[in-house]
Each structure stands twice: as structure tokens, then as C-alpha cells.
Amino acid sequence: MKQPQSDEEKIAEIRMCTQRMADDKARILELIPQVFPEKRGEPKVRGRLNEVVEASGWTREYVARIRDGKVKSS
């Protein structure tokens, strides 16, 4: 059985998880515009916005802002 973690170990784990979440969000913000063919000069794909909304769990408005370059990674 694993020994209980100290408060310091838990805080360190929180820091590590927070950084991982920030890294994951930055990667998602990078990927979203890439999956819209019209951003590559190709024909639009019907329903793509809905697919990305479903995959990300974010609102249509937020995903559209990311797609349009109005949201930048921090």
C-alpha cells in the first residue's frame, strides 16, 4: 500500500498537474485551427465546428474564436 503523501508532495503534484493542463490547452489551441480545411485554402467541411466542439467540450463561440485566431495561447 502506498504511503500517504506529505502536503509538500501534494503541492508539488498540483504544480505538475497545473503545468500539464496549461501545456495541453496550448496544444489544443494550436491544433484547432489546423483541423479546419478552409484555413488551408481547401473547401470547408460541413459539421467540422460541431466535431471540434464535441471533442474539446468548449462552446461553439470559443472554438470559432480559436479557429479565427482571436484566442492565443498564454
Side-chain angles (χ1 to χ4, degrees):
M1 183 174 220
K2 189 175 179 181
Q3 295 294 321
Q5 292 180 321
S6 69
D7 289 347
E8 290 75 20
E9 290 171 322
K10 289 175 185 174
I11 290 169
E13 184 175 352
I14 290 168
R15 279 192 185 100
M16 186 177 61
C17 290
T18 300
Q19 183 59 54
R20 188 171 54 232
M21 288 177 3
D23 293 345
D24 288 346
K25 183 176 182 183
R27 179 65 177 147
I28 293 168
L29 293 175
E30 184 181 302
L31 288 171
I32 286 176
Q34 296 176 16
V35 300
F36 288 93
E38 63 270 25
K39 300 300 276 182
R40 300 185 302 263
E42 300 169 7
K44 287 184 179 183
V45 172
R46 186 170 169 82
R48 182 55 50 94
L49 180 60
N50 288 336
E51 288 179 300
V52 177
V53 166
E54 185 178 315
S56 67
W58 293 336
T59 66
R60 290 175 55 86
E61 293 79 25
Y62 189 54
V63 171
R65 289 181 61 222
I66 296 166
R67 175 198 63 201
D68 297 341
K70 296 178 181 174
V71 175
K72 302 291 181 199
S73 179
S74 303

